[in-house]
Amino acid sequence: MLEQLGIATLDDLKPNSRVVITRVDINSPVDASTKIVTDDSRIREHSRTVKELSGKGAKVVILAHQGRKGDPDFTSLEQHAKILSGILSWPVRFVPDVAGEEAKGAIKSMKPGDVLMLDNVRFLSEETAERSPKEHSRGTLVSALGPLADYFVNDAFAAAHRSHASIVGFAAVLPSAAGRVMEKELAALSKVAGKPEKPSVYVIAGAKPKESFKVAQHVLSNGIADDVLTGGLVANVFLKAKGFKLGEANEKLLDQKGFAQFVSGAREMLGRFPGRIVTPVDLAVEIQGGRSEIAVDDLPTNHYIKDIGKKTVELYGRLLMQAKSIVVNGPLGVYEEDNFSLGTREILRVLTKTEAFSVVGGGHSLAAVYKFGLEKKLPYVSTAGGALISYLSGEALPGVEALKAASKKFS
Ligand code: 3PG
């Protein structure tokens, strides 16, 4: 049991010979032309939950999504089943159906320990309707599969911000528990997002100011973070709000991306939380393909800003070394380009040296962690993107709320 949240875990189930509908989030990067999955890290993560359930004699029915309707990565889960089978060294049967006769027949014929993957749950249009658990429990998916199952396990923390049928519907009708990934994410995040050990520092960077501002507002207003260190385009917005002129190319980029609208909000935040939002003191710009560093006092520049500078790395490093809890969300520069990866890499390296508990998360941060080979050296790396932002912004996640409500029935 996850005590502070009142959520049951796999330890509370008796899965032997029982049908366990297991929602995982194996939504993976897919090559747009070949449709081949290019990164199996989420499949690897969830394989632990599947292995444990199957090892305990459950009949594991996996539900998952891939992509969004209309997008190039909206594909069948056939290859995900093969990849999972390879990771588990155990057969994973795939049926190209979600809630029809083929899916139901496959579930009925399962034996203890069997693993079955149904097709992309988003092939059912009702899946993505944002409805309440009760409403979803009366829909096609839950009405078809619910009566065949004994338990529901939600392991899909990364999709828990969606009130989708497969995320919330089964929890309304079946004894439900968090899988190991969900459990691990909630345990780690509660350490940095509830009442973190102080000082607590959030590094908020990347190219999504709207989401970043939501997180910054929440953690600063609620005394969760003592300092917010900024990087990436988020830092450019704050620098502009402080009155720095970034130069034509950079200002144009902010306009094109629609980020200029956040400048007045950033100014207001700087006024509300004086000295607590830290911006870079120097920056790396691109000159003829190379890296060149300038102090922010030398702004404006005619060149694109692509990273924080070395003095900023030192400053942020010092602040992080004093912290007891750290969150890093978003890269501090264009880490994909070797000339501009220094800021992101060095800040992540600091996390491997401090005693602080840290969480790194968000799609791009995760990719950066892997690029620099730091995945095993960091205390906690989250696989979530949007769900992490919602959680860090203090929003209730429908998938987690549904598990809490279901766990009450459970006991
Ligand atoms: C993710 O990759 O963040 C999750 O799988 C959720 O996907 P979605 O944003 O398409 O709902």
Side-chain angles (χ1 to χ4, degrees):
M1 190 70 127
L2 268 166
E3 293 298 344
Q4 352 66 308
L5 294 173
I7 289 179
T9 68
L10 297 193
D11 299 327
D12 301 294
L13 307 186
K14 293 188 180 61
N16 188 19
S17 302
R18 306 278 166 79
V19 173
V20 184
I21 294 185
T22 308
R23 178 56 157 101
V24 296
D25 189 341
I26 49 175
N27 186 27
S28 305
V30 163
D31 183 281
S33 52
T34 61
K35 308 285 177 206
I36 289 175
V37 168
T38 54
D39 171 21
D40 64 6
S41 44
R42 278 186 170 176
I43 307 179
R44 281 182 189 281
E45 280 292 305
H46 288 288
S47 69
R48 298 187 315 121
T49 297
V50 175
K51 188 174 180 179
E52 180 174 341
L53 284 168
S54 163
K56 288 177 172 170
K59 302 171 185 176
V60 190
V61 179
I62 299 174
L63 275 181
H65 74 277
Q66 172 62 54
R68 297 178 185 171
K69 199 173 178 183
D71 285 355
D73 64 346
F74 188 58
T75 64
S76 148
L77 294 183
E78 188 170 6
Q79 61 174 322
H80 300 63
K82 285 202 188 108
I83 296 170
L84 177 62
S85 175
I87 294 167
L88 293 171
S89 305
W90 187 255
V92 175
R93 184 178 173 201
F94 169 77
V95 294
D97 185 20
V98 182
E101 290 312 314
E102 198 176 349
K104 290 198 271 185
I107 295 174
K108 284 179 196 156
S109 68
M110 289 176 87
K111 306 215 165 24
D114 280 357
V115 181
L116 168 71
M117 191 180 291
L118 302 178
D119 214 341
N120 187 343
V121 69
R122 291 190 178 174
F123 286 171
L124 279 186
S125 53
E126 81 169 19
E127 162 67 7
T128 49
E130 290 281 334
R131 294 191 184 135
S132 69
K134 200 152 217 118
E135 285 166 331
H136 271 311
S137 72
R138 297 189 192 116
T140 318
L141 180 71
V142 181
S143 305
L145 306 188
L148 304 178
D150 301 286
Y151 291 121
F152 172 64
V153 166
N154 189 353
D155 209 24
F157 174 79
H161 58 317
R162 308 288 184 211
S163 197
H164 291 177
S166 64
I167 299 290
V168 300
F170 292 103
V173 295
L174 289 173
S176 304
R180 295 300 183 205
V181 173
M182 175 71 88
E183 184 184 351
K184 214 170 70 165
E185 293 270 5
L186 291 173
L189 289 172
S190 65
K191 283 200 203 172
V192 291
K195 287 196 179 85
E197 224 189 309
K198 298 296 191 91
S200 151
V201 175
Y202 272 52
V203 179
I204 297 187
K208 290 187 177 159
K210 187 171 171 217
E211 289 80 359
S212 300
F213 283 14
K214 236 178 20 170
V215 175
Q217 284 274 13
H218 175 72
V219 297
L220 288 169
S221 324
N222 291 286
I224 296 167
D226 297 292
D227 291 311
V228 166
L229 317 183
T230 61
L233 289 179
V234 173
N236 290 5
V237 174
F238 276 110
L239 285 170
K240 198 164 151 58
K242 280 184 165 178
F244 287 101
K245 301 226 173 328
L246 305 180
E248 205 184 320
N250 297 299
E251 306 258 352
K252 214 162 151 190
L253 186 68
L254 289 188
D255 278 342
Q256 275 166 359
K257 291 194 171 276
F259 296 166
Q261 58 169 312
F262 298 113
V263 174
S264 62
R267 201 172 293 124
E268 199 206 307
M269 274 170 69
L270 288 165
R272 247 182 95 197
F273 306 108
R276 293 174 62 198
I277 300 173
V278 187
T279 51
V281 291
D282 62 348
L283 300 160
V285 296
E286 181 170 36
I287 300 182
Q288 289 170 346
R291 178 184 178 106
S292 183
E293 300 208 351
I294 56 163
V296 289
D297 291 329
D298 293 334
L299 285 168
T301 171
N302 293 328
H303 308 283
Y304 279 115
I305 299 167
K306 290 193 141 184
D307 196 9
I308 55 172
K310 291 193 182 108
K311 290 202 171 68
T312 307
V313 169
E314 271 171 40
L315 169 70
Y316 286 10
R318 271 201 307 278
L319 292 167
L320 290 169
M321 287 306 285
Q322 289 160 13
K324 292 262 170 52
S325 321
I326 299 171
V327 171
V328 175
N329 187 248
L332 290 106
V334 186
Y335 73 93
E336 299 90 335
E337 295 178 23
D338 289 343
N339 281 334
F340 302 100
S341 61
L342 181 133
T344 307
R345 189 184 61 233
E346 294 309 312
I347 293 305
L348 290 175
R349 278 197 185 148
V350 173
L351 308 188
T352 67
K353 295 183 199 139
T354 101
E355 303 276 285
F357 180 73
S358 66
V359 170
V360 178
H364 288 287
S365 309
L366 190 65
V369 165
Y370 278 95
K371 179 177 158 108
F372 305 130
L374 297 172
E375 64 278 12
K376 297 215 169 75
K377 298 189 181 140
L378 291 164
Y380 191 72
V381 181
S382 170
T383 58
L388 180 69
I389 293 290
S390 293
Y391 190 97
L392 296 177
S393 307
E395 292 166 4
L397 306 187
V400 175
E401 295 307 306
L403 281 179
K404 281 188 200 164
S407 295
K408 279 189 201 121
K409 276 187 284 174
F410 201 86
S411 49

